[in-house]
Amino acid sequence: MQKLKALIIIFLTIPLICLSQNSKNIKQEIAGLFAKADKKNLQNVLPFEIGEKTGLIDASTKKTILEPTKNLRITNLFSPIMKGRYKDFEFEINPKNFQIKIIKPEQPNNDLVPQIRDISGESSKRNGPEVVYENGFKGFAVNGDGELLRYSNIYVSLYQIPQVTPFKYKGNYYAIAAKKIENNITKYGIIDTDGNTIPHFDFIYDKIYINSLATNENDTWFIVNADTNNSCEKLLEQSAYMNMNGEVKLKGELADYPATGDHFGLDANMSGCIKFSGVLDVAKMEWIIKPQTKIMIRWLDYTSKEVLDDSKVENRNKAKMYVRVLGNNSIYYMDLDLKNKYIPIKNKK
């Protein structure tokens, strides 16, 4: 019996030892990838991709830190923690003392049977908004916190979520709402609590979103679009910012629905067919980079020396912002002014 217990302990211990040793080796390999990086200024390390390979470049010197390799993917720049994947391991790098943390992805256990919960009786217990079927009632009501309490059945739900979104403007409540019109098509408009349609916001829009970064109780701005089924060019013509007074900004310039921004109130505004792209300051509703076709901006990203709440515009000056560009068989970063491209330049022979 004692021998059996010893064998079991050895059997259980060997995988742990192997995993620990493997993790140590992976740490050493990752450290080797960053061997040429300036450890005191890791925020300058930017990835670039050529085909299916990822390399590293120093943004301050534009020197290549790592030639492209197949096994590496960077998912988060140093802001301040860098995250990525190397081989079959996820990793994090803390710039403080260059600490590398290895995270082994959990392997699914096929022996485990998913636990199915019976929720058939739960829907009746949920305290959701009441749908009112009374003849003549075409409005909505909110509770003391401004949350939707009930609404007319003439407005639709999507995936059991009411498409009635209340907001407060100059002391009164209004709502973005959706309903079926001709040919059973869903369109959006804005109503008051009695269901009266607000001028300029008839039910002609495919979507209406509140621009939360440019909105206060006395000046509420929305982004609207009349028909998202049109071509990219038509979509561009019909999108605009509009406030409750009917004032319009950037009509014919917007490619999608920038209502919150990607980071710090900035939005990588790109058409669905990827024909034109720019960078928009959503809070100011002004262009940082006007829509253009020469450089295809797909994402925004940033580095920082401290943890930042990227939903707050005021934190923008604490970060270094970049645009991530889709090139010919490559992905790389550029500054917001588009003057610097962070990808190795091959010397002409």
Side-chain angles (χ1 to χ4, degrees):
M1 182 62 71
Q2 294 297 329
K3 289 183 178 180
L4 178 60
K5 287 182 178 180
L7 288 172
I8 292 173
I9 292 172
I10 292 171
F11 178 77
L12 294 174
T13 304
I14 287 175
L16 295 175
I17 295 173
C18 292
L19 179 61
S20 176
Q21 184 62 43
N22 197 14
S23 178
K24 183 178 179 180
N25 293 339
I26 291 294
K27 275 188 181 183
Q28 291 173 347
E29 290 182 35
I30 293 173
L33 301 177
F34 290 81
K36 296 181 180 179
D38 181 356
K39 304 302 189 295
K40 294 181 180 179
N41 296 287
L42 287 170
Q43 281 72 27
N44 290 329
V45 176
L46 298 177
F48 62 91
E49 298 176 24
I50 298 177
E52 297 181 353
K53 298 180 179 180
T54 299
L56 301 172
I57 192 171
D58 188 304
S60 62
T61 64
K62 293 190 178 180
K63 291 182 178 180
T64 301
I65 296 170
L66 175 71
E67 294 293 338
T69 177
K70 277 188 175 180
N71 295 318
L72 179 65
R73 281 289 180 270
I74 303 299
T75 57
N76 195 89
L77 301 183
F78 280 107
S79 57
I81 304 294
M82 173 174 273
K83 297 179 182 179
R85 187 179 183 90
Y86 179 67
K87 294 183 177 178
D88 293 328
F89 293 84
E90 295 175 6
F91 68 86
E92 296 179 359
I93 302 177
N94 191 326
K96 186 177 180 180
N97 299 325
F98 195 69
Q99 298 171 338
I100 300 174
K101 179 181 178 181
I102 301 298
I103 304 169
K104 176 70 175 178
E106 292 185 6
Q107 300 298 323
N109 188 342
N110 295 326
D111 295 330
L112 295 178
V113 178
Q115 298 298 312
I116 301 175
R117 183 163 56 95
D118 182 8
I119 61 171
S120 58
E122 289 188 5
S123 59
S124 60
K125 300 177 184 178
R126 293 176 185 151
N127 297 319
E130 176 191 0
V131 182
V132 179
Y133 291 86
E134 295 177 8
N135 290 333
F137 179 70
K138 58 178 183 177
F140 70 97
V142 296
N143 62 20
D145 295 322
E147 299 169 336
L148 185 63
L149 194 62
R150 56 182 175 272
Y151 63 99
S152 170
N153 69 306
I154 67 174
Y155 306 112
V156 303
S157 295
L158 183 63
Y159 305 115
Q160 298 183 336
I161 300 174
Q163 295 300 286
V164 179
T165 307
F167 63 91
K168 201 171 186 180
Y169 172 69
K170 292 187 175 180
N172 297 312
Y173 280 101
Y174 300 87
I176 300 170
K179 67 179 181 181
K180 300 288 185 181
I181 59 169
E182 304 88 34
N183 302 319
N184 211 31
I185 297 174
T186 299
K187 291 290 184 179
Y188 287 77
I190 295 180
I191 58 174
D192 62 17
T193 52
D194 292 326
N196 300 311
T197 304
I198 302 303
H200 316 295
F201 291 98
D202 295 334
F203 286 84
I204 61 172
Y205 300 105
D206 272 14
K207 290 292 182 181
I208 301 177
Y209 294 105
I210 292 178
N211 179 357
S212 58
L213 296 180
T215 286
N216 56 58
E217 194 173 315
N218 294 312
D219 191 16
T220 303
W221 283 88
F222 311 88
I223 182 167
V224 300
N225 186 270
D227 190 353
T228 55
N229 294 318
N230 274 319
S231 64
C232 286
E233 289 75 13
K234 289 294 183 182
L235 175 62
L236 187 69
E237 290 174 7
Q238 296 174 347
S239 298
Y241 284 115
M242 186 184 297
N243 69 2
M244 288 287 281
N245 295 324
E247 296 176 71
V248 174
K249 290 186 177 182
L250 301 184
K251 183 173 177 58
E253 298 183 36
L254 300 171
D256 59 14
Y257 294 101
T260 57
D262 299 320
H263 303 290
F264 312 111
L266 296 184
D267 179 83
N269 197 240
M270 178 189 64
S271 67
C273 54
I274 320 179
K275 285 188 177 180
F276 42 83
S277 59
V279 175
L280 181 70
D281 186 324
V282 179
K284 294 181 178 180
M285 292 177 285
E286 296 176 353
W287 289 109
I288 301 295
I289 301 172
K290 289 187 176 182
Q292 43 76 53
T293 57
K294 185 177 180 181
I295 297 171
M296 200 49 55
I297 299 168
R298 295 299 306 275
W299 307 273
L300 280 173
D301 216 334
Y302 70 96
T303 60
S304 63
K305 292 188 177 182
E306 59 183 292
V307 177
L308 299 175
D309 182 348
D310 67 351
S311 68
K312 297 186 180 298
V313 176
E314 57 267 28
N315 286 337
R316 190 187 303 171
N317 60 358
K318 299 177 183 178
K320 170 63 177 176
M321 298 291 301
Y322 296 97
V323 294
R324 199 172 177 206
V325 175
L326 177 63
N328 184 18
N329 196 40
S330 63
I331 298 174
Y332 55 90
Y333 286 97
M334 295 185 72
D335 293 329
L336 278 179
D337 59 12
L338 302 183
K339 291 182 180 179
N340 291 307
K341 182 187 295 187
Y342 299 108
I343 189 170
I345 301 174
K346 293 182 178 180
N347 295 323
K348 295 182 179 180
K349 294 183 179 180

